[in-house]
Structure formats: C-alpha cells, structure tokens
Amino acid sequence: MAAAFRKAAKSRQREHRERSQPGFRKHLGLLEKKKDYKLRADDYRKKQEYLRALRKKALEKNPDEFYYKMTRVKLQDGVHVIKETKEEVTPEQLKLMRTQDVKYIEMKRVAEAKKIERLKSELHLLDFQGKQQNKHVFFFDTKKEVEQFDVATHLRTAPELVDRVFNRPTIETLQKEKVKGVTQQTGLKRIAKERQKQYNCLTQRIEREKKLFVIAQKIQTRKDLLDKTQKVKVKKQTVNSPAIYKFQSRRKL
C-alpha cells in the first residue's frame, strides 16, 4: 500500500514538472511551456531594444562634445576605466576610524571640550597671541589734531600701559593707589612664562577637539552610507571635513 502511494506521488510530481509531448520527440528534451517562452522572448526583445538604442546614441554622438566625466575617465585596452579619487584621510584619522567606534571618539571629544572650557575660565583670552585683537578707532575733525594726537594722553594712562587691552589703570588711579601684585622683573617673567605655557596647552587641546570632531563625522558618514537609499555625492572628503551626500527623501510609514 505504501509503495503504491509513493509511486503515485512520484508520477504526480513528474506530471507537474514535465509537459506531455509526442513520443517521437522525447530525445529533444522537455517541451517548453508557453509562459516560459514568453518570459524568455520578452527578455530577448528588451535586450535587443537596449542594444539598438546604444548603437543609435553612438552614431549620433558629437565627437567634439565635452562633459565633466571625461576628466576622470580614460580608455584602457578599448575599455573605459573610471579613475577613483582617493579619500583624503591622515594616517592618524584612518587608524582611529578603523579601531575605534564613533561613541568612543565622541566621548573623548566631549572630555576635551570640558577641559578647554575649564582652561578658558582660568585664563584671560584678551591678550591671547593666536587671537586677533580688537581695534580702537579714534575720530578727528582736522589733520592738525591727527598730527598732535598722543594715545597715552588721550587715554589718560602711562605710556608703558598703552599696549595693554585690559588692566590699564589711569594716571589718577596710579597716584591714589599702590601697585598690587608682583613687581619684580623675575617674578613677572615667571608669570608670563607660565601664562604662555597654559595658552599653548589650550591651543593644542582646541586643535585636538577639532580633529576628533572631524573623525566622528567621517565615521558617522561611513555608517550612513550603508543605507540602501539612493544618494548623490555633493562634496568630496577632505582632511578637515567629511564627504557630504544628499539622500533621496523617503516618507516614513
């Protein structure tokens, strides 16, 4: 009974896979179904239409026409090869991007930003050498006033204090009050040296925070590129900025 059931199942499977055909053409193989023939014929016609359109486009092409893709495409062994532009990444950035995660980079950047804020609160940024100092403009009515103009007299301060942008007391204040703080030349040099050291440290930390910010952006851009959404490259990647892509807008359901 079981053998008969298996034999009947096999015959049904054979009837499902094969189409009945005359016995004299069995040596030619399976007889193709009409729907399979239609699919194959439609695919063949589609390819022929595409080839015909390409031939027409090649015949009607203007040899003197210029397009921007020519600047990065060359003909090699009769085949058009597109020259890929290398990404501008420093070795340090490449090492961090391969070994570290974007969350780690962002954590280090936030830590650097907090240290920068703490240093800025401790230092006077008014006379920072790396920063462009503000200008003080004076206006006069005649050329004679310009020739006779003296900055120290106009600001009512000592000539030695004119170059200061902060802590510039007037002559009246200097006459009434005593000078506070360190007055010895060695002490002033030591304080100036320590202040310059702190400013150099602040500059290094600002540069490091900028580099970490760029690395985090580049890692995030690479993660965004894994999306299957259609996108167009708007700006190429540089050492100081990541590549910019414009993604096709999709409505979220």
Side-chain angles (χ1 to χ4, degrees):
M1 186 69 180
F5 179 76
R6 285 196 298 269
K7 187 175 180 181
K10 287 182 180 180
S11 64
R12 284 197 299 270
Q13 291 177 0
R14 192 180 299 112
E15 290 174 0
H16 178 72
R17 289 197 305 266
E18 301 176 4
R19 183 181 177 185
S20 59
Q21 56 184 332
F24 65 85
R25 69 170 309 281
K26 282 190 176 181
H27 66 282
L28 298 176
L30 296 176
L31 182 61
E32 187 178 22
K33 293 183 179 181
K34 185 176 181 180
K35 65 176 184 179
D36 297 332
Y37 164 75
K38 288 184 66 177
L39 291 174
R40 184 169 57 84
D42 291 342
D43 182 64
Y44 174 78
R45 293 194 196 95
K46 184 178 179 181
K47 291 177 180 177
Q48 290 300 318
E49 288 291 335
Y50 186 70
L51 291 173
R52 193 178 299 110
L54 288 177
R55 291 192 192 98
K56 183 179 178 182
K57 189 175 181 181
L59 290 173
E60 296 176 353
K61 181 182 178 182
N62 183 5
D64 298 329
E65 184 181 0
F66 172 80
Y67 59 99
Y68 287 100
K69 199 173 182 180
M70 289 180 177
T71 58
R72 55 188 183 92
V73 176
K74 63 179 180 178
L75 196 64
Q76 184 176 355
D77 298 332
V79 180
H80 286 278
V81 179
I82 300 176
K83 294 184 290 185
E84 296 292 340
T85 56
K86 295 184 179 179
E87 295 181 347
E88 296 186 12
V89 184
T90 61
E92 182 183 359
Q93 291 178 352
L94 190 61
K95 182 179 179 182
L96 283 174
M97 290 167 65
R98 287 179 176 176
T99 57
Q100 304 297 342
D101 186 61
V102 64
K103 291 184 179 179
Y104 171 79
I105 301 296
E106 190 64 23
M107 180 193 70
K108 298 294 289 184
R109 189 191 68 81
V110 172
E112 286 293 332
K114 290 182 179 179
K115 292 178 182 178
I116 290 170
E117 291 298 326
R118 187 169 66 251
L119 280 173
K120 284 183 177 180
S121 63
E122 295 175 357
L123 298 173
H124 292 282
L125 295 178
L126 297 174
D127 61 340
F128 184 34
Q129 293 181 359
K131 181 181 178 181
Q132 184 179 4
Q133 296 182 355
N134 296 329
K135 294 182 180 180
H136 195 159
V137 182
F138 299 95
F139 297 92
F140 300 96
D141 296 329
T142 61
K143 293 184 178 179
K144 185 177 180 180
E145 293 180 356
V146 176
E147 295 173 355
Q148 297 176 355
F149 175 69
D150 182 60
V151 180
T153 305
H154 185 80
L155 297 176
R156 297 184 303 164
T157 186
E160 295 81 4
L161 305 178
V162 169
D163 295 333
R164 288 190 178 185
V165 293
F166 71 101
N167 193 16
R168 186 172 55 199
T170 60
I171 295 177
E172 292 81 1
T173 304
L174 293 173
Q175 291 174 352
K176 293 178 182 179
E177 300 182 6
K178 295 181 179 179
V179 179
K180 300 179 182 179
V182 180
T183 57
Q184 297 180 0
Q185 193 68 20
T186 56
L188 292 174
K189 288 182 178 180
R190 180 178 58 81
I191 293 173
K193 188 175 180 181
E194 291 179 356
R195 185 172 65 244
Q196 188 61 40
K197 184 179 179 181
Q198 292 293 327
Y199 280 133
N200 293 337
C201 179
L202 177 61
T203 304
Q204 293 175 3
R205 291 195 178 278
I206 291 175
E207 291 296 326
R208 177 173 172 77
E209 193 269 339
K210 289 181 180 178
K211 290 179 180 179
L212 290 173
F213 179 72
V214 172
I215 293 171
Q217 282 189 323
K218 289 183 177 180
I219 295 175
Q220 188 61 43
T221 302
R222 289 193 175 186
K223 285 190 174 183
D224 294 339
L225 291 177
L226 298 176
D227 192 359
K228 301 293 184 180
T229 308
Q230 187 178 358
K231 48 196 168 288
V232 178
K233 194 172 187 179
V234 179
K235 184 180 179 182
K236 67 178 183 178
Q237 181 175 254
T238 61
V239 177
N240 299 321
S241 64
I244 299 176
Y245 291 85
K246 184 177 180 181
F247 289 82
Q248 183 182 13
S249 59
R250 285 191 307 180
R251 184 176 181 180
K252 294 183 179 180
L253 300 177

